[in-house]
Amino acid sequence: MTPNASELAYESIAELAPRIKSGELSPVTLVQTSLERIARFEPQLNAFLEVWGDSALAAAELAEKDIAAGRYLGPLHGIPVGLKDLIDVAGSKTTGGSKVLADNMADSDATVVTNLKAAGAILIGKLNLVEFAFGTTGLNPHTGDVKNPWDTTRITAGSSSGSGAAVSAGMVVAALGSDTGGSIRMPASLCGIAGLKPTYGRVPRAGVLDLSWSMDHVGPMTRTTEDCALMMNVLAGHDSADPGSSHEPVSDFTSKLTEGLDGIRIGVPSHYFFEDFVDDEIKASVRAAIDLMASNGAEVVELSMPWVGKGRPINFGVILPEAVSIHEKMISEHADLYSPAVRSRVQSGLNVSAIDYVRAQRARQWFNHQVAEAMKQVDVLVTPTVPIRTLTIDECTPSPGNPGAGSELPMFTGVFDVTGQPSHSIPCGFSANGMPIGMMITGHPFDEATVLRVGHAYEQLTDWHQRQPTDISETN
């Protein structure tokens, strides 16, 4: 391994960027560290579908020369980034983790890839995922299950399973995921990293495979909240190639990071998110995090939201018919190539009538209004990210007559795909068996800056985000 590789692998973008800019750290050394860790830990974790070692090293050498010549492009210049395999990179396959698209070669870059390249980021490979991003546990019978770096017998959650594991294990400094029912925030929670679902339309989706076009989001998965902000400064903005792309002005997402918690009003729902079905350790960790923020300047406001549990059924009620409309032709021609679980999910959308879809969208309008009204008196909501403990892969693996556990995972995250609000998961503790626990910070539409401010402020009060996985080590 490269000298001090373990320490270097867990440095954040914010820590690495000044060293790269000054010439103290070579992008080549950083990319070599990533590639060495991928080679060492990938057999255990199965996070990657494709690794671009040669092109990443060539890009790193070019970055080093450009920076030395005074052509520094910003904090992402020379930073290794992994991409969920829904995202097009010209000349590479985009498989969606499915046999159906096993030979699907992209002829152009997704807009987010164009943005990353323009910022000098180094693309290091494609990351594993749930087939077509349509699942919550992170398991994929085609590409193999991704293992959680904190305990390789356990799931990462999905669908951005490889993204969560790769960042958590120090294989890459940052990754991109997508989120339709929680697929950025659930793996972030279970893998002990930061993951931001931006406001719907904030980050362009052109060149990214659709699951549910009115709820799909693309966003960053990183070590820290600050790194999410730095990624967002590159990713966000209007894109005419994406019909859902917002025209909302984009400002510096790091602008409020250091303002602390003074004056922040934290809403804590008195319904659903802390009820009896939520794991006791998760409730206790999130409550302790809220108390810590309250003792450091935040005001806590309890909110009555007795209807908020309707969000996840609305989420699923919209996803199903939109997903089947996207997959209709492929599944009619290649149903045998889909895994049984994903085929069943897609085909169940055929049973949703047009009037039921309209009703779901009408219920969505009502629900979004209710949430907006409830949040008028607060800046953010703070809740658990997921309601249940981190399950084992065996518990989640389907068998005849048993669909597998894990369907409860998106009960909380899916609520905010319905509303499209910015929603961010960061670690706030660990269970007795050593698994990360995440809390979710959700803000007003297009106010990612406040969400990130709260996340960063909490991270300055704790060291949860600095801890490293215990089930992989340099001695394995």
Side-chain angles (χ1 to χ4, degrees):
M1 298 287 284
T2 302
N4 299 316
S6 180
E7 293 83 356
L8 185 61
Y10 281 99
E11 289 192 21
S12 65
I13 297 172
E15 292 168 327
L16 294 165
R19 296 173 59 197
I20 292 172
K21 182 180 181 182
S22 70
E24 176 192 343
L25 174 64
S26 165
V28 175
T29 300
L30 188 56
V31 168
Q32 286 173 335
T33 298
S34 283
L35 293 174
E36 288 168 8
R37 289 184 72 83
I38 292 167
R40 187 172 184 86
F41 300 128
E42 177 58 15
Q44 298 177 56
L45 299 179
N46 195 36
F48 279 84
L49 296 180
E50 192 173 0
V51 179
W52 303 323
D54 291 342
S55 63
L57 285 169
E61 291 170 0
L62 179 60
E64 182 174 5
K65 291 176 183 176
D66 284 345
I67 292 165
R71 296 187 291 272
Y72 181 66
L73 298 173
L76 264 61
H77 203 170
I79 299 294
V81 176
L83 303 170
K84 185 176 183 177
D85 193 24
L86 293 176
I87 300 169
D88 282 348
V89 176
S92 297
K93 291 179 182 179
T94 303
T95 72
S98 176
K99 289 182 178 180
V100 180
L101 298 180
D103 299 317
N104 178 44
M105 191 70 69
D107 57 11
S108 61
D109 288 339
T111 302
V112 287
V113 170
T114 300
N115 293 349
L116 287 171
K117 286 181 176 179
I122 296 175
L123 306 183
I124 208 158
K126 285 290 191 76
L127 292 157
N128 205 347
L129 70 161
V130 176
E131 183 182 9
F132 287 122
F134 206 178
T136 62
T137 59
L139 308 188
N140 187 328
H142 299 317
T143 60
D145 304 332
V146 181
K147 317 297 195 304
N148 194 311
W150 293 90
D151 179 346
T152 53
T153 69
R154 297 186 184 273
I155 63 169
T156 58
S159 61
S160 307
S161 49
S163 301
V167 174
S168 178
M171 293 173 161
V172 289
V173 182
L176 293 190
S178 66
D179 194 309
T180 308
S183 291
I184 287 171
R185 292 159 292 156
M186 292 186 296
S189 178
L190 271 59
C191 293
I193 64 171
L196 175 69
K197 179 194 78 67
T199 307
Y200 180 81
R202 180 67 107 174
V203 172
R205 292 178 295 121
V208 181
L209 295 180
D210 288 325
L211 173 60
S212 172
W213 63 84
S214 74
M215 291 202 195
D216 289 342
H217 306 68
V218 174
M221 301 173 72
T222 64
R223 309 249 187 280
T224 67
T225 295
E226 183 175 12
D227 283 4
C228 280
L230 292 170
M231 290 282 286
M232 284 295 293
N233 280 345
V234 167
L235 297 171
H238 177 68
D239 177 19
S240 59
D242 175 9
S245 180
S246 170
H247 288 271
E248 191 75 14
V250 175
S251 57
D252 185 350
F253 290 93
T254 68
S255 61
K256 295 183 179 180
L257 276 182
T258 60
E259 292 183 10
L261 293 165
D262 286 344
I264 289 289
R265 296 163 299 166
I266 293 175
V268 179
S270 56
H271 301 84
Y272 189 56
F273 293 98
F274 293 93
E275 292 182 356
D276 290 343
F277 63 85
V278 183
D279 180 84
D280 288 340
E281 286 185 309
I282 292 173
K283 282 192 286 189
S285 291
V286 176
R287 288 285 187 190
I290 292 167
D291 290 345
L292 180 61
M293 290 189 285
S295 65
N296 282 273
E299 176 189 353
V300 176
V301 181
E302 189 157 311
L303 299 179
S304 177
M305 302 171 72
W307 35 263
V308 75
K310 298 180 186 296
R312 174 55 181 167
I314 295 169
N315 179 227
F316 208 57
V318 172
I319 289 174
L320 281 178
E322 292 190 354
V324 77
S325 71
I326 290 163
H327 284 266
E328 184 178 17
K329 185 174 187 295
M330 285 193 298
I331 204 164
S332 68
E333 296 174 352
H334 304 291
D336 58 314
L337 297 181
Y338 285 73
S339 67
V342 171
R343 181 171 66 243
S344 175
R345 277 181 217 121
V346 172
Q347 289 176 334
S348 68
L350 293 168
N351 299 322
V352 180
S353 67
I355 194 167
D356 284 338
Y357 176 65
V358 171
R359 284 171 177 155
Q361 289 286 17
R362 186 174 182 183
R364 183 182 189 179
Q365 288 184 321
W366 168 85
F367 184 82
N368 291 356
H369 175 74
Q370 294 293 111
V371 172
E373 288 295 307
M375 285 189 65
K376 279 184 175 178
Q377 55 186 308
V378 299
D379 299 298
V380 295
L381 299 177
V382 173
T383 66
T385 307
V386 300
I388 61 172
R389 65 181 176 86
T390 303
L391 300 166
T392 66
I393 291 170
D394 285 347
E395 287 173 312
C396 297
T397 301
S399 60
N402 177 13
S407 62
E408 307 95 333
L409 282 165
M411 287 177 67
F412 298 163
T413 52
V415 168
F416 303 112
D417 289 287
V418 173
T419 63
Q421 295 166 259
S423 191
H424 182 48
S425 182
I426 57 173
C428 69
F430 284 80
S431 65
N433 63 358
M435 297 307 294
I437 293 171
M439 75 171 173
M440 186 162 57
I441 305 163
T442 302
H444 294 277
F446 299 103
D447 191 15
E448 286 88 357
T450 298
V451 170
L452 295 165
R453 169 186 171 182
V454 173
H456 181 72
Y458 177 76
E459 288 173 353
Q460 305 318 295
L461 299 171
T462 64
D463 70 349
W464 307 120
H465 62 290
Q466 296 173 345
R467 302 193 184 189
Q468 299 174 15
T470 53
D471 207 40
I472 60 167
S473 71
E474 304 308 318
T475 58
N476 278 355

